[in-house]
Amino acid sequence: GFDQIMEQTRCDTHPILHHQQLKMGDLGRTQIPIVCPGHTRPLAELQYLWNEEEKRTFLLSACHDKMPMLRDGTSGDWIGTFQGHKGAVWSMQMDNSGNLAATASGDYSARVWDAITGNSLLELPHKHIVKTCVFSPDSKLLATGGKEGLLRIYDLAACLMNKPLKAEVAFEFKQASPMNKVVWVTNSLILCACADGKVYLWDLSSPQAPVHTFDTQQGDEIRDLELCTIANGMQVMTAAAGTKVFFYDMESKNLLKEYTMPIHFREEGGATLHPSGERFVAGGSDLWVRVFDFQTGKQLECHKGHHGPIRCVRYAPDGKLYATGSEDGTIRLWKTDPTE
């Protein structure tokens, strides 16, 4: 009855009571994560951002509850919620300055927000579900993509000056199939992760065809895509698709590593590379959060805590923490080194 429900709720929100379940696999050390409540539906995407001006890390979360949130990236404390979408929010990103946020939604629109006040600045209509949105490094452009299979590039200054918007404001790059993620490489190079198992590299100055295609040769949808500059200066692209995680060197375009996981990414999940380049985290079709050795693919840690499959994973910029978002509606923050 009621007491049982209360007990269940307490267990969900009180990290100490998870203690029994949290066996850390091979290392035999337990770790109790910070649990961030607030969302009421499955998580869809997480983004960490270091804000130079405020000298702090932000964590953004997109969620099916239509209420994307901004948190302190270290404590997990809630800062604000961006209200306005009428459908699931699949993606939420902030620009490098920390002044703008963008969201991509199942309500067939993307939005640009004032990240300080939470006010909606722009509504960008699409013709189907929008799965991904991201600001260029210089904050001047916003890229969106989704079920339409169109990469759209918006010039934000022009959009903000010319409200209300007409539909033809964006440059459009037709993709071979629907898109799940876009990631900027530079202000003119952009990656599109598609449902056909390929990641296409586009140069904005040559819209006729992609300048390179990364083919996982699996045919499984690319579920997650991340770009990370690791300690030795190499820029590494991480892609999660099917039952595998792939790592590519962005300069040579070579496949560095390809590992088969004990989970799959067909419905959800992702992978994130530690800034040292020495380990990566993957989560997907089950409740466990796993840490692997980058060089060998050996599983180093395995964490229980979530009550639903893992939807998204990201390392913090300094590599000390990583965040996981689940179908259970919670975000959990884990330490890279549990002894610290």
Side-chain angles (χ1 to χ4, degrees), residues 31-44:
Q31 179 174 170
I32 297 163
I34 294 172
V35 181
C36 310
H39 284 300
T40 57
R41 298 283 313 282
L43 272 289

Side-chain angles (χ1 to χ4, degrees), residues 242-272:
T243 58
K244 293 187 173 182
V245 178
F246 304 84
F247 299 95
Y248 294 88
D249 171 10
M250 278 308 292
E251 198 176 358
S252 68
K253 313 286 188 287
N254 292 336
L255 179 66
L256 299 167
K257 303 283 182 187
E258 171 185 335
Y259 294 122
T260 300
M261 296 282 102
I263 49 171
H264 70 77
F265 306 105
R266 291 193 186 97
E267 278 92 47
E268 60 229 332
T272 180

Side-chain angles (χ1 to χ4, degrees), residues 205-225:
S205 61
S206 58
Q208 299 77 28
V211 290
H212 186 78
T213 300
F214 298 90
D215 188 354
T216 62
Q217 313 205 323
Q218 303 292 302
D220 287 299
E221 269 188 71
I222 308 285
R223 182 65 51 215
D224 194 18
L225 192 71

Side-chain angles (χ1 to χ4, degrees), residues 5 18 23 50 108-109 259 335:
I5 292 167
H18 278 313
K23 299 215 170 46
W50 167 253
Y108 291 23
S109 79
Y259 294 122
K335 289 180 180 174

